[in-house]
Amino acid sequence: MRLAVAALHDLVARVLTASGLSETNAAIVAHTVVAAERDGTVSHGLFRLPGYLATMRSGWVDGHAVPTITQAAPALLMADARNGFAQVALAAAREPLCTMARDLGMAALCTSNAHHFAALWPDVEPFAEAGLIALTVINSRSRIVAFGGRRKVLGTNPIAFACPRGDGPPMVWDQATSVVAQGEVLRARQAGHAVPQGVGVDVAGQPTVDPAAILDGGALLPFGGHKGATIALMIEVLAAGLTGGRFGFEDRSADYPGAQTSNAGQFVLLIDPVRTAGAGFAGRVDALVEALRDAGSERLPSDGRYARRAAAMDGIEIADDVYAALLAAAAG
Ligand code: NDP
C-alpha cells in the first residue's frame, strides 16, 4: 500500500482526533509522526501511534491542551504546555521566538509540563530553513543507568542541531544519548531480534542482547560511556531543571496504566548567525561540509534522511495490516 504524504498526514490526524486530541493539536502531532515515517526515522513514525493511543486512553495527556507562553526576559520565552504535547507549545512559540532571535541575535524557549514522544529533528529543521541555528534538547522518564549507578535516573534525552547551508538544505542531526533510541529496542522485541552488545543491561545490571530483558526492568546504556552520560545529564538540567519541568526520575506515568509518554520539558536555543559571522556564514558551513567530503566522508548527518525523503515523493509504503489498523482507529 502506497500513500501520498498529505494523505497519510490526513489519516494520522484523524486517528489522533478520534483518540481525543483537538483538531489543531492532532494536525501538529500528525506532522511529526508522518515526517518521521517519510524520512525513515522509523522508531518514531507510525510505529509510535499505538503508544499515542494507549497514552490518550490512560488519561495521562490532555489532548486539548492550549499552551501558555510568557516572556521571562528579553530573549527568553517560557511555555507551559499544560500537560499537552511539546510540539503544540513549540508551534505557539515559533513565530515570536524567530522574531526575538532576529531582533536580539539569539532567543531561547523553556517548555515545561510537556509530552514529547517523537523525533526531535522536525522541531529544529524549519528554523535552519529560515536562516537560524537551532539546538534543542528534551528529557524523558528514567531509562539509562549511568556513571556506574545501580538505578536508572536519566532519560534517553535526545539532542538535535540544525544550521543553514548556502548550497543545499540545512545540516541537521538528531540523536538519543543512549547507544540506540528506546524505540529501536521496542522494534527489536516486536520483530523477535536481539539487540547489539553494549545497548543495555538486564534487571541485575548484567549486559544482555535480549530486548525484553532491557525493557522489563533492565536499562539502556549511554553512548560513549561516561561521556554520553554527561550529555544526558546536561540535557536533564536544561530540559527539566531550567524549564521547571519534571526530571525523568520524577515521572508519574506509572499512575496511568498504558501511558507511554513522559511529562517532562524541552529547551530550544536559536542563534542568528548573521549577527556574528555575517552573510557568509552559510558558505562557511558549505566549506566545512566540502572538507569532510574531500576527506572521504560520503555520508554526513541528514544525508540519509534527505535521501529517504526524496524517495518518499512517490508515496510512503505502508503494510496492509498497518493501513487497516489506521482506518479502524480513525473510525473511532
Ligand atoms: P541514529 O543513531 O539513527 O542517528 C543519529 C544521527 O546520526 C542522525 O542525524 C543520522 O543522520 C546520523 N547518522 C546515522 N548514521 C550515520 C552515519 N553512518 N554517518 C553519519 N551520520 C549518521 O538516531 P538515534 O537512534 O539515536 O535516535 C533516533 C530518533 O529517536 C531521533 O529522532 C531522536 O530524536 C528520537 N528520540 C526521541 C526521544 C523522545 O523521548 N521523544 C528519546 C530518544 C530518542 P540521518 O538523519 O541522515 O540518518
Side-chain angles (χ1 to χ4, degrees), residues 36 39-44 48 87 115-122 138-141 143 155-160 172-184 262 299-308:
D39 282 19
T41 315
V42 284
S43 59
H44 288 78
R48 287 274 158 175
Q87 295 84 358
H115 299 255
H116 202 298
F117 199 50
L120 214 46
W121 63 261
I138 58 168
N139 70 312
S140 67
R141 69 176 84 164
R143 287 204 172 104
T156 52
N157 300 357
I159 176 168
V172 183
W173 57 259
D174 170 23
Q175 63 196 43
T177 43
S178 44
V179 175
V180 299
Q182 190 222 23
E184 290 300 337
S262 313
R299 186 236 200 273
L300 292 178
S302 63
D303 284 351
R305 219 164 41 68
Y306 288 138
R308 296 187 290 266

Side-chain angles (χ1 to χ4, degrees), residues 120-301:
L120 214 46
W121 63 261
D123 294 1
V124 288
E125 190 180 289
F127 290 120
E129 284 170 344
L132 298 167
I133 293 176
L135 179 80
T136 189
V137 293
I138 58 168
N139 70 312
S140 67
R141 69 176 84 164
S142 306
R143 287 204 172 104
I144 64 174
V145 277
F147 307 121
R150 289 184 306 278
R151 276 192 307 280
K152 298 175 274 193
V153 176
L154 304 171
T156 52
N157 300 357
I159 176 168
F161 174 81
C163 75
R165 290 187 49 199
D167 182 19
M171 159 75 73
V172 183
W173 57 259
D174 170 23
Q175 63 196 43
T177 43
S178 44
V179 175
V180 299
Q182 190 222 23
E184 290 300 337
V185 184
L186 289 165
R187 275 165 39 82
R189 177 168 69 177
Q190 195 179 67
H193 295 154
V195 295
Q197 280 287 354
V199 163
V201 293
D202 63 17
V203 69
Q206 294 305 310
T208 179
V209 295
D210 176 2
I214 295 170
L215 294 167
D216 302 333
L220 289 158
L221 292 170
F223 77 87
H226 65 275
K227 296 186 185 182
T230 55
I231 308 280
L233 170 59
M234 175 196 73
I235 291 172
E236 204 80 30
V237 171
L238 291 177
L242 188 66
T243 65
R246 285 180 183 166
F247 289 120
F249 70 86
E250 295 170 333
D251 182 75
R252 292 288 168 270
S253 54
D255 298 343
Y256 293 79
Q260 294 187 27
T261 64
S262 313
N263 179 316
Q266 177 167 25
F267 174 73
V268 182
L269 178 67
L270 300 185
I271 302 170
D272 183 354
V274 172
R275 293 299 193 109
T276 57
F281 170 77
R284 296 276 296 143
V285 177
D286 286 342
L288 178 59
V289 167
E290 207 45 52
L292 285 163
R293 295 216 194 277
D294 278 354
S297 300
E298 287 174 12
R299 186 236 200 273
L300 292 178

